[in-house]
Amino acid sequence: MLLDGEPWAAMFRDFKRSAWRLEVQPTYTMPAEAESLARFLRGEPKPDDHNAKWHGTVRDATAAGKTLGRVRVVRQPLTDYQRYQFAWGIPGNIQAGEDIRVLDLTDRDVDLPDQDFWMFDETLVVHLNYRADGTQINRELIEEPNISQYLAWRDLALESAVPFSAYRT
């Protein structure tokens, strides 16, 4: 089942305990981010309201006692998009309450999928499918996922990653 619009937004509003993402693409070509990415690459200052909608989602969830987290997989050198995320996106997301860790696979390999996904309440899995250039194709709710495999990938990613603040230093 493909998710878009309100059904996709509801996933972030209606989860009960936790939402967690594995983020593996080196670049995300998101139309909504095109202008802010261009501004970043031109060296312009970050707007005060950058990513404000997501920050509101995170703050609402954490205020309700829920957790949001992700592991961002990278390889050196960082792509322009990853540098943009690290400078403009991730710090504000963390400040809003999201737990973001970085897994640098430059000099090592960890047995994780090349598939981005969100896992909600350790029961629902949504694959985020992308073209090679980072353009999202769709979001697919996985029917009857092998939850133990996704939990193992989450645990391995968390065990192998470092907090964003530690990675930046």
Side-chain angles (χ1 to χ4, degrees):
M1 176 176 151
L2 299 182
L3 296 174
D4 202 8
E6 175 54 28
W8 177 237
M11 298 296 286
F12 293 94
R13 189 179 55 246
D14 297 343
F15 75 93
K16 305 296 183 215
R17 294 175 312 282
S18 65
W20 186 84
R21 180 175 179 178
L22 180 65
E23 199 170 44
V24 301
Q25 303 301 313
T27 298
Y28 295 94
T29 306
M30 308 294 288
E33 292 181 329
E35 180 53 35
S36 63
L37 175 59
R39 291 172 72 176
F40 168 77
L41 293 173
R42 290 191 300 263
E44 296 177 15
K46 179 177 79 170
D48 291 337
D49 65 345
H50 180 75
N51 219 11
K53 185 176 178 182
W54 178 249
H55 297 162
T57 298
V58 172
R59 280 192 295 273
D60 290 348
T62 57
K66 303 174 187 181
T67 63
L68 284 107
R70 72 179 77 202
V71 167
R72 178 65 170 110
V73 174
V74 299
R75 288 177 178 80
Q76 296 292 330
L78 297 179
T79 65
D80 285 345
Y81 185 85
Q82 289 167 335
R83 291 186 312 102
Y84 160 72
Q85 274 190 319
F86 281 32
W88 281 25
I90 292 174
N93 294 358
I94 290 171
Q95 190 172 37
E98 187 175 358
D99 176 29
I100 301 178
R101 298 166 187 261
V102 179
L103 175 53
D104 191 328
L105 296 180
T106 302
D107 296 321
R108 64 183 174 147
D109 191 32
V110 176
D111 190 22
L112 291 171
D114 290 333
Q115 173 69 55
D116 278 52
F117 66 87
W118 276 100
M119 182 169 44
F120 298 91
D121 295 326
E122 300 182 341
T123 59
L124 297 174
V125 174
V126 177
H127 281 187
L128 307 173
N129 299 311
Y130 294 91
R131 292 187 180 93
D133 71 352
T135 302
Q136 191 172 76
I137 299 167
N138 58 35
R139 298 175 203 96
E140 177 185 7
L141 180 64
I142 302 303
E143 303 292 333
E144 299 182 33
N146 178 351
I147 287 297
S148 62
Q149 179 63 75
Y150 287 93
L151 291 170
W153 284 329
R154 181 205 57 195
D155 294 348
L156 178 59
L158 288 169
E159 173 185 302
S160 303
V162 297
F164 178 72
S165 60
Y167 185 77
R168 291 207 54 190
T169 57

